[in-house]
Amino acid sequence: MNVNGKHYRTIWIKENDPSTIQVINQIVLPHEFAIMDLRTVEDFRIAIKDMYIRGAGLIGATAGYGMYIAALTSPENEFESFIEESGKILAATRPTASNLVWAINRQLEAMNSRSIRAEKIKIAHETAIAIADEDAEFCRRLGDHGKEIIMEISKRKKGETVHILTHCNAGWLAFTDYGSATAPIYAAFDAGIKIHVWVDETRPRNQGASLTSWELGQHGVPHDLIPDNAGGHLMQHGMVDLVITGTDRVTRNGDVANKIGTYLKAVAARDNNIPMYVALPSSTFDFDLIDGVKNIPIEERDAGEVRFMTGKTVDGRIETVQICPDSTPARNWGFDVTPARLITKLICERGVCDASESGILGLFPEKK
Amino acid sequence: MNVNGKHYRTIWIKENDPSTIQVINQIVLPHEFAIMDLRTVEDFRIAIKDMYIRGAGLIGATAGYGMYIAALTSPENEFESFIEESGKILAATRPTASNLVWAINRQLEAMNSRSIRAEKIKIAHETAIAIADEDAEFCRRLGDHGKEIIMEISKRKKGETVHILTHCNAGWLAFTDYGSATAPIYAAFDAGIKIHVWVDETRPRNQGASLTSWELGQHGVPHDLIPDNAGGHLMQHGMVDLVITGTDRVTRNGDVANKIGTYLKAVAARDNNIPMYVALPSSTFDFDLIDGVKNIPIEERDAGEVRFMTGKTVDGRIETVQICPDSTPARNWGFDVTPARLITKLICERGVCDASESGILGLFPEKK
């Protein structure tokens, strides 16, 4: 995707410096576009935990590069223990993200397949790049599958604008490129289909307001920012044709963990007979888990994210303001789980399937 | 209710000055407690339209006092036309609030029953006080009825904490005293029932974060502020025993217009078999209307309310910050309508009834 006309991914190895990984600093978006250098495991830990980078695919790709940097910076005689410890440190940053553990394990396996340190570093380097490249390629492919769904609705509406509601940022900023929820949107827009996106602001961290709005604006996709509270009203009044979200983890039976509030949109979509799609690259599946509401651990984050808001003042300063009384306590769960019964279809790089064990295994028979 | 230990209502005639109405300035809450003087119809128009005062009952009471001030400040020879025009001006401030038109019409009828200007002013004065007093008394009574519901749940839970979720501020700040959604909460708390309130922050104007949190804190009721996105997750995990909201208008068949986002909580409550109560004084009924989703006009407000947030900086300044890119457009509907089928019961000053025409007319047979 382009930023100010120049092509970017969200993570890459610095030109002429293989010991530095660069990422887009997503905390200062949308008010500033800045690049951040990551050189140590501690840099990666902070970048993931404090959400300088975020989003299912990008967390995985960052963990992949993090393990490569772990290998590169490991003490000569303590390679194994340093790598193991680094994997644990990175895995502990975001408990809900299955891509994180997936990428770390893929790196551990790759390194275990080699015996000499230099070779381990080399394969970690290759694997990190492969994880990032696959992430972009999978998003591109699922975008094509999702585009077909939007095109069908557009045909049914005789070319009238298709209104798509999305929650949080499952955009290209959440992956290495294209995005998951946004990939069908960009593909449909680029194919000339008339679309318009309702962007949930996505409290408390406002990823919709700050990131999805920014992305869609950069690409020229028509959109409007709305409070998270508005989607039900829009659905009741025929102003939403479909919902597409991303996800941080999908269980074997099709339950979907995604940003807190996704479930509310899914249950309202069902109440209004509006299709609810979830787009994901296959790395987001957790084939070992069933019953997501019961079994997916939900991260509880700092209450300050609810009590304070950060933005830009009219004279361009970045300020943080408190929106409740000094003594008000707050709680802050990061995700909720939408049961499979409320999902119309899952959109994956291999195609579109029912949110059910049989539907998912139909696309991924090797997991039977 | 008390503020810093002193009893207040939200609106009253200034001591020793019957030409000045005083209200609590709700825009500067929770960071500042300030009293505002209203002396002209224009003062009232701005106070209602720009939400210095807000909430169903208080809007009605303010309109009542506004019509009294209209009478008091009317030109000697143009009483009728001035009053009629003032009624239209005040009625146009908030299209969704049925109490507004109800209070204005009550004042017009009262004044029409007198022939001399001085008598018209006198009855407008009495009627304004009566509207405010009835509002408080009706809230007190519905609080008692609602307390019984909470007490039942408390008994079923063997005295364990009853968790109540509420949306927006249907608190004493939204009425002249007690509140609607909060009246059962205060009554239950004062009766020694163990309760805890989940306070939806209620974007975009944050009435939950800024007003309900402040009220509950002043009264000592245990509560936690949550993003509007969190309620579904809490419901899925057994952390909500009941939902109570207020309403701005209820149709003859029991459809409920309330702050945008209420419908999302109602549909999630239904999905989790959690009871959803709506508390209202009878002035909020619109007995002439059916099919609220289709027929209740929904106010669209300024997009700036979505794009900007106001709060207090760490050093105590009030600042407004922009939370999206400069060029992002936004939309901002103030209310949504929850269909009667999703409402467990309505709690009124006369008792508790089904959200249906037969249920409502059972309590209000004079409207048959």
Side-chain angles (χ1 to χ4, degrees):
Chain A
M1 302 294 299
N2 289 347
V3 179
N4 306 322
K6 184 184 166 192
H7 179 263
Y8 278 92
R9 277 191 175 179
T10 50
I11 187 165
W12 62 92
I13 298 172
K14 189 174 179 182
E15 220 178 325
N16 304 321
D17 179 4
S19 64
T20 300
I21 306 301
Q22 295 193 304
V23 295
I24 296 173
N25 176 349
Q26 301 197 18
I27 283 184
V28 298
L29 282 176
H31 307 301
E32 189 187 339
F33 180 72
I35 307 297
M36 201 175 160
D37 290 348
L38 306 179
R39 291 196 184 90
T40 64
V41 172
E42 177 63 9
D43 287 349
F44 278 85
R45 186 187 72 80
I46 291 171
I48 302 173
K49 185 173 175 51
D50 294 345
M51 298 176 73
Y52 287 89
I53 68 94
R54 22 67 56 204
L58 181 53
I59 288 173
T62 305
Y65 279 112
M67 291 302 287
Y68 155 60
I69 291 295
L72 201 64
T73 59
S74 61
E76 285 290 334
N77 301 321
E78 294 163 39
F79 188 89
E80 299 303 334
S81 63
F82 186 82
I83 289 296
E84 195 186 323
E85 183 60 24
S86 298
K88 281 184 188 160
I89 287 169
L90 294 179
T93 49
R94 300 290 305 277
T96 310
S98 72
N99 294 54
L100 183 63
V101 176
W102 170 86
I104 292 165
N105 286 342
R106 182 161 162 185
Q107 281 284 30
L108 291 175
E109 275 173 40
M111 288 189 255
N112 277 338
S113 73
R114 300 291 184 274
S115 46
I116 304 166
R117 184 172 180 273
E119 281 181 358
K120 286 175 187 277
I121 293 171
K122 181 163 179 290
I123 200 165
H125 176 259
E126 289 164 7
T127 304
I129 291 170
I131 290 172
D133 284 352
E134 279 170 25
D135 183 73
E137 173 60 14
F138 283 13
C139 286
R140 193 192 63 73
R141 281 191 225 161
L142 74 83
D144 276 345
H145 296 302
K147 181 186 70 182
E148 301 298 320
I149 292 168
I150 297 171
M151 198 179 285
E152 275 308 305
I153 295 172
S154 172
K155 278 182 193 159
R156 212 171 57 224
K157 292 189 78 175
K158 302 189 196 325
E160 265 184 52
T161 302
V162 177
H163 295 281
I164 303 165
L165 186 143
T166 192
H167 189 70
C168 198
N169 176 260
W172 71 269
L173 288 168
F175 291 86
T176 58
D177 210 343
Y178 303 103
S180 59
T182 54
I185 291 169
Y186 291 127
F189 179 78
D190 291 344
I193 301 169
K194 259 176 86 175
I195 60 169
H196 166 263
V197 182
W198 297 111
V199 180
D200 269 3
E201 68 170 335
T202 319
R203 287 280 292 145
R205 292 183 62 91
N206 301 352
Q207 293 96 332
S210 60
L211 303 180
T212 305
S213 295
W214 182 79
E215 272 193 27
L216 295 174
Q218 290 282 337
H219 203 76
V221 180
H223 63 284
D224 281 293
L225 176 63
I226 50 171
D228 301 308
N229 284 322
H233 171 73
L234 296 176
M235 291 179 192
Q236 287 178 311
H237 291 271
M239 295 161 83
V240 178
D241 293 301
L242 72 161
V243 179
I244 311 180
T245 72
T247 167
D248 291 74
R249 188 183 295 209
V250 176
T251 61
R252 189 177 182 90
N253 63 303
D255 296 334
V256 168
N258 191 42
K259 185 58 54 190
I260 190 88
T262 302
Y263 165 64
L264 292 171
K265 294 298 139 64
V267 75
R270 175 57 51 95
D271 198 47
N272 292 284
N273 294 312
I274 291 166
M276 166 88 192
Y277 295 97
V278 176
L280 67 154
S282 54
S283 55
T284 310
F285 282 109
D286 184 341
F287 289 102
D288 296 332
L289 214 60
I290 58 159
D291 193 346
V293 174
K294 196 169 154 200
N295 294 323
I296 297 178
I298 301 294
E299 176 183 4
E300 189 172 355
R301 300 182 56 82
D302 191 273
E305 293 184 351
V306 180
R307 303 183 72 250
F308 296 92
M309 285 276 257
T310 299
K312 190 178 71 168
T313 63
V314 70
D315 53 342
R317 287 171 293 115
I318 302 300
E319 283 268 17
T320 295
V321 296
Q322 178 183 315
I323 61 163
C324 62
D326 292 344
S327 57
T328 299
R331 299 288 294 272
N332 182 22
W333 289 271
F335 302 87
D336 62 22
V337 175
T338 300
R341 65 183 158 85
L342 298 175
I343 311 288
T344 306
K345 294 278 180 188
L346 301 173
I347 305 171
C348 310
E349 74 274 10
R350 291 195 194 172
V352 172
C353 71
D354 284 342
S356 66
E357 183 164 356
S358 65
I360 294 166
L361 295 182
L363 281 187
F364 299 92
E366 71 274 24
K367 299 293 180 182
K368 271 180 187 163
Chain B
M1 302 293 301
N2 289 347
V3 180
N4 305 323
K6 185 183 165 193
H7 179 263
Y8 278 92
R9 278 190 175 179
T10 49
I11 188 165
W12 61 92
I13 298 172
K14 189 175 181 183
E15 221 179 327
N16 304 322
D17 179 3
S19 65
T20 300
I21 306 302
Q22 295 192 302
V23 295
I24 296 173
N25 176 350
Q26 301 197 19
I27 283 184
V28 298
L29 282 176
H31 307 300
E32 189 188 340
F33 180 72
I35 307 298
M36 202 175 158
D37 290 349
L38 306 178
R39 291 196 183 90
T40 65
V41 172
E42 177 62 8
D43 288 349
F44 278 84
R45 185 186 72 80
I46 291 170
I48 301 173
K49 184 171 176 54
D50 293 346
M51 297 176 74
Y52 288 89
I53 67 93
R54 23 67 56 204
L58 181 54
I59 288 172
T62 305
Y65 279 112
M67 291 302 286
Y68 155 61
I69 291 295
L72 200 65
T73 58
S74 62
E76 284 290 335
N77 301 321
E78 294 165 37
F79 188 89
E80 298 304 334
S81 63
F82 186 81
I83 289 297
E84 196 187 321
E85 182 60 23
S86 298
K88 282 183 189 161
I89 287 169
L90 294 178
T93 49
R94 299 290 305 275
T96 309
S98 72
N99 294 55
L100 184 63
V101 175
W102 171 86
I104 292 165
N105 287 341
R106 183 162 161 183
Q107 280 285 30
L108 290 175
E109 274 174 40
M111 288 189 256
N112 278 337
S113 72
R114 299 292 185 272
S115 46
I116 304 167
R117 184 171 180 272
E119 280 181 0
K120 286 174 186 281
I121 293 170
K122 183 164 178 287
I123 199 164
H125 177 257
E126 290 164 6
T127 304
I129 292 170
I131 290 171
D133 284 353
E134 280 170 25
D135 182 74
E137 173 60 14
F138 282 12
C139 287
R140 193 192 61 73
R141 281 191 226 161
L142 74 84
D144 276 347
H145 297 302
K147 181 187 68 182
E148 301 298 321
I149 292 168
I150 297 171
M151 198 180 284
E152 276 307 306
I153 296 171
S154 173
K155 278 182 194 159
R156 212 170 55 223
K157 291 187 79 174
K158 302 189 194 327
E160 266 185 51
T161 302
V162 177
H163 295 281
I164 304 165
L165 185 143
T166 192
H167 189 71
C168 198
N169 177 260
W172 71 270
L173 288 168
F175 291 86
T176 58
D177 210 344
Y178 303 103
S180 58
T182 54
I185 290 169
Y186 291 127
F189 180 78
D190 291 344
I193 300 169
K194 258 176 85 172
I195 61 169
H196 166 263
V197 182
W198 297 112
V199 180
D200 269 2
E201 67 170 339
T202 320
R203 286 282 291 147
R205 292 183 62 90
N206 301 352
Q207 293 96 331
S210 59
L211 303 180
T212 304
S213 295
W214 182 79
E215 274 194 25
L216 295 174
Q218 290 281 338
H219 203 77
V221 180
H223 63 284
D224 281 293
L225 176 63
I226 51 171
D228 301 308
N229 283 322
H233 172 73
L234 296 175
M235 292 179 192
Q236 287 178 310
H237 290 271
M239 295 160 83
V240 177
D241 293 301
L242 72 161
V243 179
I244 312 181
T245 72
T247 167
D248 292 74
R249 187 184 293 210
V250 176
T251 61
R252 189 177 183 91
N253 63 303
D255 295 335
V256 167
N258 192 42
K259 185 58 55 193
I260 190 86
T262 302
Y263 164 65
L264 292 171
K265 294 299 138 65
V267 76
R270 174 57 51 94
D271 198 48
N272 292 284
N273 294 312
I274 291 166
M276 165 89 192
Y277 295 96
V278 176
L280 68 154
S282 54
S283 55
T284 309
F285 282 109
D286 184 340
F287 288 102
D288 296 331
L289 214 60
I290 58 159
D291 193 346
V293 175
K294 196 170 153 197
N295 294 323
I296 296 178
I298 301 294
E299 175 183 3
E300 190 173 354
R301 299 182 56 84
D302 191 273
E305 293 183 353
V306 180
R307 303 183 71 250
F308 296 91
M309 287 275 259
T310 299
K312 190 176 72 166
T313 62
V314 71
D315 53 344
R317 287 171 295 116
I318 302 300
E319 284 269 16
T320 296
V321 296
Q322 178 183 316
I323 60 164
C324 61
D326 293 343
S327 58
T328 299
R331 300 289 294 271
N332 182 22
W333 288 270
F335 301 87
D336 62 22
V337 175
T338 300
R341 65 184 157 85
L342 298 174
I343 311 288
T344 306
K345 295 277 180 189
L346 301 173
I347 306 172
C348 311
E349 73 274 10
R350 292 195 192 171
V352 172
C353 71
D354 284 342
S356 66
E357 183 164 357
S358 64
I360 294 167
L361 295 183
L363 281 187
F364 299 91
E366 71 274 24
K367 299 292 181 182
K368 271 178 188 165

